[in-house]
Amino acid sequence: MLSNPHLSNYIRFFQIISDMEQECLITQKEKHQLKVNLTLKDMQLVNMIALNTDADDEEFKYSIINILRKQNQSPRQRQGQKIRCKSSGMEMSPIRLIRRNSVSKEAKITEEQLIQQIDDLNDSLVMILQSENKCILTPIVTEKLKSILEVIQKTTISSPSTTTTKILQAEESENCKIVDKFTQLYSDMKKHYTDYLNCHLLLMDNNLSYDNLVQSVKNFIKKLIDADQITYLHIRDDQSQQTYYSADDKYLITNDKQIYNETQLIQPNKVLLLDECNFYPTLSEQFKIKLYKKNYLIKLTNQDVFVCFHISDQTSIISEFLSLADEFDIFEDLNQLSSFLIETIKQAKIEIFTPLQLSHMIQGIGIAFIRSSKYLFIKKCIHILQSKYQVEIHINSGDGMSVISSPSFFYGIQKQVEFDFKDELNVSITINGMDLNKKTDLMIYKQLTQSFNKYLKFIRQCYDRTTFYKFFVKSQDTLIFEFDKLGRLIFLSRPIPLEIKKEFNINFDPKNTKVTYQQLFQNEELLKYIENFLQEHNILRDSDQQYQVFMKMEERNFKGFFIIFQQGWFKYDQKKFDLNDPSLQKELQKQIIQQETIRFIDKLEQNNPQILNSVVQMFKPRSTQRQTVHYRNSILQFEPAKLGVQHKCSLRLEDLDTFCQVPNIDNFDFNILIVEEIVQKQLVVVEILKYHNLIKEYDIPLDTLCKFLSEIEYKYNKKKNVFHNYDHGISVMQNVHAILLQLHKTNNASILSLFNQFALLLSGLCHDVAHTGRTNTFEINSLSNLAIRYHDRSVLEQHHAAKSLKLLCVPATNILQSFKGEEFRKFRRMFISNILYTDITEHFNLIKNFESKVQESNFGSQDEDIKLLSGMIIHTSDFTGGAKQFELSKQWSFKVNKEFEEQYELEGKLGYPQLPYMKDLHKLPVMAKQEAGFFKFIVRPLWQSMSKYLDNSLQQQVDYLDETIQKWEEIANSE
């Protein structure tokens, strides 16, 4: 067994000698001899491997060649051994390449010999630089080649052509510098963008703090666009300004008319350099631009939001990135990045952030910027060329061809070369003064081509890598570690579960970006497995363990390895599940979603212990809730409803001619609590039905509609519930209406037919009809008639649906008289499905299923998709009160908590189990704590998911929820 401390170097040694054999640098016999010597622990070889820990591949190869020269062969014998360069087809030896161009410092040679030496050197350099492998161009060889040039320059020649020779030497040196600059540019750009995933590792912390999140985001924007800080300014509806400074991590509220006026002059889809304009003095002062060297300002698309990126220094390879935004049309990337930053900061402020979700977004935004970085690469290539040539840039963006010329330093130019960068913007350049018939110009041209093509290949590799990463980031069943060829961690799919961390003794610190697998894993069995696997060089090794190891290979080259842990994989019986059966596929998918939901809730409780005894417990699936067995001497009986009892109609036919005075029926600022007259409340329902043309389309008799709405209002308000009353029913229906209006503005407007919308609006109105003012848990614990009738399953929801449908079966109140046979049955199924989705124990399953299904390209094509979308809309609307401005939201909170208080008291009197989160709700700090958790973990994610599907059109309501969470937390912490 090899020594553990240098195992990664041994792995690398075996891979490198395989590469050297393929590149014809060593023979198969020499490769075998090296392996034998290592097995025999040749100290010269072992020491060389140990000392080359930080050496790059070329230095490692050169060290191996030196070892071979010293073993069994004299330098003369080694000098005579020729090797073949694959790219040029020429036979050569790296040792002879150096020696045949070497000149003694005391030697006196003729001008003809000197010119021959220069030609030989030029041919050698061209051959090496054009070689795709560059196997010989190690730092040591490069240094020796430079010394040859120095010897030539110092050689004394008595000739009239000495000046000409010096000019040739100078030109040769200049060309080599240009070639080196292209090579270095590729290396620097690749290294910079490869490192951006370190930001992802910072998020892989089970106890991710606010400070670490902020630091991770700052590192992210530094890697992408070289920005050190950001400031964003939001113009509110009243023209006041809210400004956030990342440097201070603080908000500032101002009401400066001059700032507002200056922002109105800024056009979207443009990047503005504030330092170079004096048109926005007040705005520049607000953004504190004097603290930074560069300040780039953008206005977000379709928003009164302005984001300023601040750059403190310009030493980075990508410091010019933002300055190219307008020239190369990369504003959309900046717009997406800005929106991500603003949303992340908002979520972090109220401590609502999911590391995996952030990681997923970082992956997507990161690859978009890496794609755009090719324009920075192009710009830098042009800058390198301008040191010798005149360059014209041509950009055809679809609006016509634009030409950007560099300053001309040359006169009488006759030769020119066209170079096309093969980009969607059709970027090309004309290089004036370049002659491909000259060896020097040809060498530069080839190096430009090679460097750019290699960078495009790097971008493609990043895209493939990111796609691979995003798949595993979304997976809840796997945990994947990726290591580079030196054994250093470069990717982690998600925070390490505690059970895996304990079992395998994993020591992970997100801030340590250079950790190796030996440092990470302290489990001897796992380490031994990894080391044996890598030494055997298997691509894939089967394992009955909880983990598997995969080797990364690229063009037969070893690039690193993966370790994948299996955790809670969904197990299914292949005999039972025929995966070609669509119905069984759906069942399998449903069970997977349920398992993911359970794991999500477990993780939520693990990271947020405060919700264990909070109202959030009500929203868990029934299968995960603790079942309380309670024995009692009596069963609570409710007085059965008396049929045929006459009561006053709250809406008459003549009332329909009354003007509806309730404002904001078509938007989310609607407030039913300000409406006192019952007729006006009923007219809100009628107006919504009229807006969608439902009364006319389905031939609803107006007198029947009046009787139906009067019966619905009576059944809602009969028990005089504080919250679950007709006001709540109308509010939910109105919110469904407002969401439908937003849906109509999207590309998904056609998913819900008018028939589906009618069922959705009516179920929104009726979803809590005849509510008892108690929870399902109370009904089950009390063995109420409803619980017995509906077998403890969605007790109240089935009750509401049944009461409503019973009215639709009575001719006097049947507003669906135009529906016949199958059409009525279909409406009934949709109506029941919608109301059952308001069962709060379906909350987590619903969101998980919805967020998974909407990612499918054909979402909306099946009946199940329509049910799911309808369920999501009505469930979101059920919490419409919380998505209002705080003062109004607070009123709804007091109402629902009043019902909870009454239930808690009744449970105590009857000896039923009392839920801990309903205790002491009359104390404001206690209620505030419950409300903060409820809105943070239940309502906000729901509205956020709905808003995302509707092209973020509900963002204002999400912002209101953020404000509400902060307000409740302030109240909870006030005492």
Side-chain angles (χ1 to χ4, degrees):
M1 174 63 70
L2 298 172
S3 176
N4 284 339
H6 306 299
L7 178 62
S8 60
N9 273 348
Y10 284 110
I11 297 167
R12 185 181 173 203
F13 169 78
F14 285 121
Q15 188 60 47
I16 283 180
I17 61 176
S18 297
D19 294 344
M20 292 177 72
E21 181 192 6
Q22 294 173 22
E23 296 166 5
C24 300
L25 293 177
I26 60 176
T27 65
Q28 184 178 13
K29 182 179 179 181
E30 288 171 330
K31 173 186 171 184
H32 177 72
Q33 184 62 46
L34 286 167
K35 287 185 174 182
V36 171
N37 291 348
L38 183 60
T39 304
L40 296 175
K41 295 188 177 180
D42 181 289
M43 292 311 298
Q44 188 179 17
L45 190 58
V46 170
N47 290 335
M48 183 276 293
I49 294 174
L51 293 172
N52 276 274
T53 302
D54 298 321
D56 60 28
D57 287 355
E58 305 307 324
E59 290 176 343
F60 211 147
K61 289 177 182 178
Y62 190 77
S63 298
I64 293 171
I65 289 174
N66 278 337
I67 291 287
L68 285 172
R69 287 179 58 205
K70 295 175 183 179
Q71 291 178 347
N72 303 323
Q73 289 185 339
S74 67
R76 181 180 300 277
Q77 289 174 316
R78 190 64 190 173
Q79 179 181 348
Q81 182 181 345
K82 293 183 179 181
I83 54 180
R84 181 173 294 275
C85 178
K86 295 197 310 185
S87 61
S88 64
M90 297 177 62
E91 291 186 349
M92 62 179 184
S93 165
I95 309 303
R96 290 192 62 193
L97 177 68
I98 298 170
R99 293 195 170 198
R100 77 189 183 102
N101 290 313
S102 299
V103 181
S104 171
K105 293 185 179 180
E106 289 79 19
K108 301 290 184 179
I109 61 174
T110 66
E111 178 182 1
E112 183 179 351
Q113 290 173 324
L114 175 60
I115 292 174
Q116 183 60 46
Q117 290 280 358
I118 293 174
D119 288 341
D120 288 346
L121 178 60
N122 180 75
D123 291 341
S124 299
L125 283 172
V126 169
M127 182 179 63
I128 295 170
L129 292 170
Q130 289 180 0
S131 169
E132 188 172 338
N133 294 315
K134 292 190 177 62
C135 53
I136 304 169
L137 196 59
T138 65
I140 298 175
V141 174
T142 303
E143 193 62 33
K144 287 184 176 294
L145 291 175
K146 290 181 180 179
S147 68
I148 293 172
L149 287 175
E150 292 176 2
V151 170
I152 294 173
Q153 292 168 358
K154 293 177 181 178
T155 304
T156 303
I157 306 174
S158 178
S159 170
S161 302
T162 301
T163 304
T164 304
T165 302
K166 289 183 177 180
I167 292 174
L168 291 173
Q169 292 173 350
E171 183 179 356
E172 187 77 26
S173 177
E174 179 187 1
N175 292 331
C176 288
K177 288 180 180 178
I178 292 176
V179 168
D180 289 343
K181 286 180 179 179
F182 283 132
T183 305
Q184 191 63 43
L185 173 62
Y186 166 75
S187 177
D188 291 345
M189 292 278 287
K190 179 181 178 181
K191 182 180 185 306
H192 181 90
Y193 282 108
T194 300
D195 289 344
Y196 90 93
L197 274 176
N198 289 343
C199 309
H200 160 85
L201 288 176
L202 286 172
L203 295 171
M204 297 298 103
D205 188 352
N206 283 305
N207 299 311
L208 181 63
S209 67
Y210 173 78
D211 292 337
N212 285 346
L213 173 61
V214 171
Q215 187 58 47
S216 180
V217 170
K218 286 185 177 180
N219 290 347
F220 181 55
I221 61 174
K222 182 67 176 176
K223 287 292 183 184
L224 288 190
I225 56 176
D226 199 36
D228 298 279
Q229 302 290 346
I230 67 162
T231 302
Y232 75 81
L233 182 145
H234 176 217
I235 304 295
R236 296 177 162 184
D237 294 338
D238 59 359
Q239 299 184 5
S240 64
Q241 305 94 35
Q242 182 188 48
T243 308
Y244 171 80
Y245 302 93
S246 68
D248 304 323
D249 192 27
K250 292 180 180 178
Y251 284 95
L252 176 67
I253 306 297
T254 54
N255 195 358
D256 191 320
K257 188 67 175 178
Q258 184 60 29
I259 291 178
Y260 173 79
N261 292 337
E262 289 181 7
T263 58
Q264 302 310 298
L265 301 175
I266 299 175
Q267 298 298 316
N269 302 325
K270 294 291 182 183
V271 178
L272 181 67
L273 182 59
L274 286 181
D275 314 62
E276 295 181 355
C277 64
N278 296 319
F279 301 108
Y280 312 98
T282 311
L283 195 58
S284 296
E285 184 177 351
Q286 183 80 352
F287 283 130
K288 302 180 181 179
I289 69 170
K290 293 182 179 180
L291 299 177
Y292 309 95
K293 285 189 177 181
K294 293 287 184 180
N295 302 273
Y296 293 93
L297 179 67
I298 67 170
K299 178 182 180 181
L300 300 195
T301 307
N302 301 323
Q303 298 183 56
D304 280 331
V305 177
F306 303 83
V307 180
C308 189
F309 296 99
H310 306 291
I311 299 177
S312 297
D313 59 67
Q314 294 183 279
T315 58
S316 169
I317 186 70
I318 63 163
S319 58
E320 302 175 61
F321 194 101
L322 287 171
S323 64
L324 306 178
D326 289 338
E327 183 178 348
F328 292 102
D329 192 23
I330 58 176
F331 181 82
E332 281 305 314
D333 294 340
L334 288 173
N335 192 82
Q336 185 182 19
L337 173 63
S338 301
S339 299
F340 163 73
L341 294 174
I342 293 172
E343 182 61 26
T344 301
I345 291 168
K346 287 180 178 179
Q347 291 184 12
K349 280 292 182 183
I350 57 174
E351 297 182 353
I352 299 180
F353 48 83
T354 305
L356 289 183
Q357 182 182 6
L358 295 176
S359 173
H360 192 267
M361 296 180 72
I362 281 179
Q363 300 288 340
I365 295 173
I367 192 59
F369 274 84
I370 289 179
R371 282 172 168 171
S372 297
S373 71
K374 62 189 169 188
Y375 300 120
L376 180 61
F377 193 93
I378 291 172
K379 200 72 173 179
K380 288 186 174 292
C381 286
I382 292 170
H383 180 71
I384 293 172
L385 289 170
Q386 286 173 345
S387 64
K388 182 176 181 181
Y389 309 101
Q390 180 189 19
V391 183
E392 292 180 353
I393 311 170
H394 311 277
I395 302 176
N396 186 356
S397 62
D399 300 326
M401 179 74 75
S402 61
V403 179
I404 307 169
S405 298
S406 66
S408 178
F409 298 102
F410 305 92
Y411 300 91
I413 296 174
Q414 296 179 350
K415 298 289 185 177
Q416 64 179 28
V417 174
E418 299 289 337
F419 188 92
D420 187 358
F421 286 101
K422 299 177 183 179
D423 180 77
E424 56 266 23
L425 290 181
N426 296 322
V427 180
S428 61
I429 59 174
T430 301
I431 310 173
N432 295 308
M434 177 175 280
D435 185 356
L436 297 185
N437 292 319
K438 292 182 179 180
K439 288 184 178 180
T440 53
D441 286 358
L442 180 61
M443 179 175 65
I444 291 173
Y445 182 85
K446 286 187 175 181
Q447 188 60 45
L448 169 63
T449 304
Q450 185 184 62
S451 295
F452 184 67
N453 287 338
K454 285 177 67 177
Y455 195 72
L456 291 182
K457 181 181 178 182
F458 165 69
I459 292 175
R460 288 193 296 271
Q461 289 173 340
C462 285
Y463 176 78
D464 294 340
R465 183 180 175 189
T466 302
T467 303
F468 175 77
Y469 286 166
K470 289 170 72 174
F471 170 80
F472 279 104
V473 164
K474 285 192 272 187
S475 172
Q476 297 295 314
D477 295 319
T478 56
L479 172 66
I480 179 170
F481 297 83
E482 181 184 2
F483 300 90
D484 64 15
K485 58 187 177 183
L486 297 180
R488 295 176 300 196
L489 180 67
I490 58 175
F491 175 75
L492 178 60
S493 63
R494 60 190 175 103
I496 306 171
L498 292 177
E499 56 270 26
I500 290 183
K501 183 178 286 189
K502 291 179 180 179
E503 181 176 353
F504 296 99
N505 198 10
I506 300 176
N507 181 27
F508 174 66
D509 180 1
K511 296 179 182 178
N512 184 0
T513 58
K514 300 295 183 182
V515 64
T516 65
Y517 71 90
Q518 298 101 325
Q519 298 166 330
L520 188 65
F521 302 119
Q522 305 298 313
N523 183 286
E524 290 296 329
E525 182 181 352
L526 176 58
L527 281 175
K528 183 178 179 180
Y529 181 87
I530 296 170
E531 291 163 0
N532 290 338
F533 167 78
L534 294 176
Q535 289 180 30
E536 293 172 11
H537 269 217
N538 289 332
I539 300 300
L540 168 64
R541 179 169 179 168
D542 292 331
S543 171
D544 57 359
Q545 303 291 333
Q546 194 179 353
Y547 49 81
Q548 287 184 314
V549 180
F550 297 80
M551 184 176 290
K552 294 190 300 178
M553 302 295 290
E554 183 182 315
E555 298 177 357
R556 299 180 64 186
N557 294 324
F558 175 72
K559 295 296 182 182
F561 60 96
F562 298 97
I563 301 176
I564 299 180
F565 288 86
Q566 304 170 351
Q567 184 196 24
W569 282 57
F570 179 75
K571 304 293 183 182
Y572 63 91
D573 185 350
Q574 292 184 352
K575 295 179 181 179
K576 179 181 178 182
F577 286 101
D578 178 6
L579 296 182
N580 294 318
D581 186 334
S583 62
L584 292 179
Q585 286 181 359
K586 290 182 179 179
E587 178 64 24
L588 185 62
Q589 185 180 35
K590 179 181 178 181
Q591 293 187 34
I592 292 174
I593 290 291
Q594 289 174 346
Q595 287 198 3
E596 288 187 354
T597 301
I598 293 172
R599 284 195 294 273
F600 170 79
I601 296 171
D602 290 342
K603 191 72 173 178
L604 188 68
E605 291 180 339
Q606 178 182 320
N607 294 336
N608 303 276
Q610 69 272 23
I611 70 174
L612 289 173
N613 290 316
S614 75
V615 69
V616 174
Q617 296 299 307
M618 293 174 60
F619 290 77
K620 293 173 62 176
R622 289 183 68 252
S623 59
T624 67
Q625 292 186 10
R626 295 179 181 177
Q627 302 298 319
T628 303
V629 180
H630 187 77
Y631 300 94
R632 55 194 181 283
N633 298 323
S634 62
I635 296 176
L636 181 66
Q637 299 290 338
F638 292 100
E639 181 182 353
K642 296 179 181 180
L643 301 178
V645 176
Q646 298 295 319
H647 53 84
K648 183 180 179 181
C649 289
S650 58
L651 182 66
R652 298 168 298 177
L653 193 60
E654 54 267 28
D655 292 329
L656 297 180
D657 296 327
T658 307
F659 177 72
C660 182
Q661 301 175 350
V662 182
N664 300 316
I665 293 179
D666 298 333
N667 59 56
F668 296 99
D669 292 329
F670 176 78
N671 179 13
I672 192 66
L673 299 183
I674 63 173
V675 184
E676 296 181 358
E677 296 182 16
I678 187 61
V679 172
Q680 285 294 315
K681 294 180 181 182
Q682 296 284 29
L683 289 177
V684 170
V685 179
V686 175
E687 287 296 313
I688 292 174
L689 295 175
K690 284 182 178 178
Y691 184 96
H692 294 273
N693 200 32
L694 296 172
I695 296 176
K696 182 177 180 181
E697 181 70 22
Y698 294 108
D699 297 326
I700 300 175
L702 295 181
D703 59 337
T704 305
L705 178 62
C706 291
K707 292 177 182 177
F708 174 77
L709 294 181
S710 296
E711 283 293 324
I712 291 293
E713 182 269 330
Y714 171 75
K715 292 184 181 298
Y716 257 114
N717 291 337
K718 181 180 179 181
K719 285 188 172 294
K720 297 183 169 64
N721 296 329
V722 181
F723 178 85
H724 290 98
N725 52 37
Y726 197 40
D727 285 354
H728 173 62
I730 293 176
S731 294
V732 173
M733 180 190 191
Q734 185 278 330
N735 200 82
V736 169
H737 165 62
I739 289 180
L740 288 176
L741 296 186
Q742 295 303 318
L743 179 65
H744 294 164
K745 299 176 183 178
T746 70
N747 295 329
N748 302 313
S750 60
I751 291 182
L752 296 182
S753 65
L754 187 63
F755 182 85
N756 300 137
Q757 294 177 52
F758 185 19
L760 186 53
L761 287 164
L762 194 61
S763 52
L765 176 67
C766 301
H767 80 285
D768 273 339
V769 163
H771 201 288
T772 63
R774 308 289 180 255
T775 64
N776 277 336
T777 301
F778 182 91
E779 299 295 333
I780 294 169
N781 286 340
S782 66
L783 287 179
S784 69
N785 293 335
L786 296 179
I788 294 171
R789 179 180 304 162
Y790 298 115
H791 309 291
D792 294 352
R793 294 184 178 276
S794 301
V795 175
L796 289 172
E797 289 71 31
Q798 293 197 70
H799 171 60
H800 307 320
K803 282 291 185 181
S804 304
L805 288 169
K806 191 170 184 179
L807 287 176
L808 294 174
C809 292
V810 175
T813 54
N814 180 16
I815 61 175
L816 306 180
Q817 295 175 14
S818 63
F819 290 166
K820 305 298 181 184
E822 180 57 30
E823 193 174 22
F824 177 80
R825 286 190 286 272
K826 182 179 179 181
F827 187 93
R828 177 178 176 274
R829 287 194 297 270
M830 285 293 299
F831 185 83
I832 294 172
S833 173
N834 291 339
I835 293 181
L836 290 180
Y837 269 119
T838 64
D839 183 347
I840 57 178
T841 61
E842 291 297 318
H843 172 82
F844 289 107
N845 280 327
L846 173 60
I847 293 183
K848 282 291 180 184
N849 200 11
F850 179 75
E851 291 179 345
S852 174
K853 292 288 287 184
V854 295
Q855 300 297 323
E856 299 176 3
S857 58
N858 64 340
F859 178 75
S861 60
Q862 301 178 6
D863 289 344
E864 289 300 318
D865 299 337
I866 294 171
K867 287 184 178 180
L868 186 61
L869 177 58
S870 298
M872 189 69 177
I873 292 174
I874 193 171
H875 185 53
T876 304
S877 299
D878 203 6
F879 301 101
T880 177
K884 309 293 185 182
Q885 294 191 56
F886 179 67
E887 290 304 317
L888 177 54
S889 171
K890 185 169 63 174
Q891 294 182 51
W892 287 106
S893 291
F894 279 123
K895 286 177 176 291
V896 72
N897 278 280
K898 184 64 176 175
E899 287 189 6
F900 288 162
E901 284 183 56
E902 293 173 355
Q903 175 174 318
Y904 187 82
E905 292 177 4
L906 183 58
E907 287 170 336
K909 291 178 182 178
L910 297 174
Y912 299 164
Q914 292 177 293
L915 300 175
Y917 47 82
M918 290 187 179
K919 182 181 180 181
D920 294 332
L921 290 178
H922 61 284
K923 299 177 181 178
L924 188 57
V926 174
M927 190 193 87
K929 183 179 179 181
Q930 293 289 351
E931 289 299 283
F934 167 65
F935 287 118
K936 181 185 292 187
F937 299 110
I938 300 296
V939 183
R940 190 190 189 279
L942 178 65
W943 275 83
Q944 179 68 40
S945 184
M946 190 77 256
S947 179
K948 184 178 180 181
Y949 180 73
L950 298 175
D951 299 336
N952 296 316
S953 60
L954 309 183
Q955 187 57 48
Q956 183 67 67
Q957 282 58 56
V958 176
D959 290 343
Y960 286 153
L961 283 164
D962 289 343
E963 180 184 0
T964 295
I965 293 168
Q966 292 181 18
K967 293 287 188 182
W968 281 123
E969 287 182 338
E970 290 173 4
I971 295 172
N973 297 327
S974 62
E975 293 186 14

